[in-house]
Structure formats: C-alpha cells, structure tokens
Amino acid sequence: MNIVKASQHLNVVVEMASKLFLTFSCILFLASFMLPVLSHLQDPHLRPNTLSGNGGSLKAMQGCRKGDKVNGIRDLKLYLAHFGYLNYKKNPSATDLEENHFDEELEVAVKSYQVYYHLNATGILDEPTVSQIAMPRCGCLDKVTHGHTHNSIHTVSRYAFLPGTPRWNKGQLTYGFGPLFPARFIPPVDRAFGRWDAASQYFTFSRATSYQVADLKVTFQRVDHRDGSPFNGSGGVLAHAFSPPDGRVHFDADERWAIGAVPNAFDMESVAIHEIGHLLGLGHSQFQSAIMWSSFSSGVTKGLSSDDIQGLRALYGA
C-alpha cells in the first residue's frame, strides 16, 4: 500500500514539474519576443549615433554607392545629418522605403565627410569611410549645413569655431562636478583644465565652492539624459559639451573609462581636454593630431597641439 501511495505521489510531482517547465519555457519564449519590442517602445526614435555602435549594419552597407537601395541607408543619412554633412529632416520613425535610397544628395554628403576626414572623396562607402564612421567620437557636430548646401563652419587653418562663434566674456571660470561623478576621475579632469589654463594666456580655472554655482558643470550621464542628445550605451559617442555660456559637459557613464593608456578603455583626461575645448568655443579640427579632432582611439592618451592653442588664441584675440 505504501508503495502504491509513493508511486502516486511521485506521478503528481512529475506532473507538476512538467507543468512548471512548460510555463517557464513559455515565459522565456515570450520574453525573447517582447524584449526587442519593449526596447523599441522605450526608444522609438533612432539616435544619430546608431551607426557608430552597430558595426554589423555598417559592414552590410560597405561598398554602397549612388543608385543603391540598401537597408540602413536611412540610418546613415541621420548620422551624417546629425554631424552636419546633410540637411536631412525626415521623421526617424517613418518607414518610407525610399529613405534607404542612396541618392545624389547623400553622395555629396559622403564626399564631404570623406574630405573632412582626409579620405579619398569617392562618394562610395568604402572600407576606410566605414571604419571612420565606426570610430568612437565626440557627440558635437563637425560642420553646419545651410539648406541643401554643404558649407563648413568658420575655419581658420584646421581649427574651427562653434556656430555663431560663441565665447566667454570673462577669463576666470569655475568648474564643478555633479554629485554622482566618480571621485577617481576628478584628478584627471582637474589636470585637463590645467592644460588649457597653461596654454591659453587668457583663462584661469578653479574649482567652484559648489556644483550649482560653477560656470562649467561636469557630470556623468546615461542614455537619454534630457538634453536632446542621448547617449547610446557603450561605443559610439563618448561625451559632448555645450558652447559658451552654457557650460555643461557630459561623459557617457556606460563607456569604459581609465586614467592613462589602458587597453580597451578611454583616457578620461584626453577626452576631457577635448570637451573643455568645446566649452570654450572651439569646434572640431581637421588636423588629426589636434585634441579637437572628433574621434578617439581606446588605449591611448592625447594632449593639446599647436593647432588647438592657435585656435583658442585666435578666438579670444590673445
């Protein structure tokens, strides 16, 4: 009798386990289906830097030229529009198939991008162009488009000023760190301000008594942080800054940051020097050795060049 009851109890346990396994499997299946959908609902608008963080799409488009229709061309148009090479204002959530058409205007924009980055200006998405687009970079624009023209921002030598040539009307500026800024990265940012202080012959920088009263506000942010320029997680845009007299500079907290040349990480001081240049009114330089060059490599350090210093002195008349 005990054996019969034990057998019946075992059957009940097996049946319950089977039901639980089936239920769990269904949940996993639904999760795998719904997560991409939920992700899209949370972020329905394509970010301008999507291409930079999506090497697969870029690789699929390599070799594209005028006349081609390939998935991802719309993303390329949005990328080039965001950084100032194309006057493209289509709704990012639209699904017009013609947006994936590699038209003449896009060819002109690709050529402009290639010229800016000293590449062979073919208008074709060749390997060097794709590699440059995939590079981690600053989120500030390179150029300003006017209507359907492709005029560059005010350029002297290879350095450039931000649109409208904004500048500070005082030489003594204070800076402060947001409450969540990692303490270990404060010293390299201090050093970055010191680099510009020593080189400018115009500015002096000092730590403010509080973050709220600082002229320049330094913070770590993630994804959509409500400034109109969302980060995209690891890869793509590393940081961005706002022109005078705004004073905000944001570093992407999802990137791997380091102090010094650490493999597969970005040197905080080097990127900070670049972003401080934007805070002072400098745009991106076309001189690759300049700190104001737009893209960065991991595992390396970089400092001010003569082009950066000449640009700041030209802007402030020193």
Side-chain angles (χ1 to χ4, degrees), residues 7-33:
S7 177
Q8 289 175 340
H9 180 70
L10 179 61
N11 288 336
V12 171
V13 171
V14 170
E15 184 178 357
M16 289 179 64
S18 298
K19 289 180 179 179
L20 287 172
F21 177 78
L22 180 61
T23 302
F24 184 69
S25 299
C26 290
I27 292 172
L28 284 177
F29 173 77
L30 288 172
S32 66
F33 175 77

Side-chain angles (χ1 to χ4, degrees), residues 64-84:
C64 288
R65 64 186 68 205
K66 185 174 71 174
D68 290 346
K69 290 186 178 181
V70 180
N71 288 336
I73 293 296
R74 181 189 64 172
D75 296 355
L76 176 64
K77 290 179 179 179
L78 286 167
Y79 177 93
L80 292 173
H82 178 73
F83 292 112

Side-chain angles (χ1 to χ4, degrees), residues 33-45 47 224:
F33 175 77
M34 288 300 295
L35 280 175
V37 177
L38 291 173
S39 175
H40 175 72
L41 289 175
Q42 290 171 351
D43 189 13
H45 298 295
R47 299 192 187 107
D224 188 353

Side-chain angles (χ1 to χ4, degrees), residues 100-155:
N100 283 321
H101 177 229
F102 200 125
D103 53 28
E104 184 175 357
E105 189 174 18
L106 178 58
E107 181 186 51
V108 172
V110 171
K111 286 182 178 179
S112 179
Y113 181 88
Q114 290 168 330
V115 168
Y116 190 91
Y117 285 98
H118 315 300
L119 304 171
N120 191 16
T122 61
I124 300 170
L125 281 182
D126 52 21
E127 191 278 331
T129 305
V130 167
S131 296
Q132 181 61 50
I133 292 173
M135 282 284 290
R137 61 163 293 154
C138 170
C140 299
L141 54 73
D142 295 333
K143 305 175 71 176
V144 176
T145 53
H146 302 279
H148 288 273
T149 64
H150 303 275
N151 298 326
S152 65
I153 50 184
H154 179 191
T155 304

Side-chain angles (χ1 to χ4, degrees), residues 196-208:
W196 283 109
D197 191 322
S200 69
Q201 298 182 357
Y202 182 84
F203 286 107
T204 57
F205 301 97
S206 60
R207 291 275 293 276

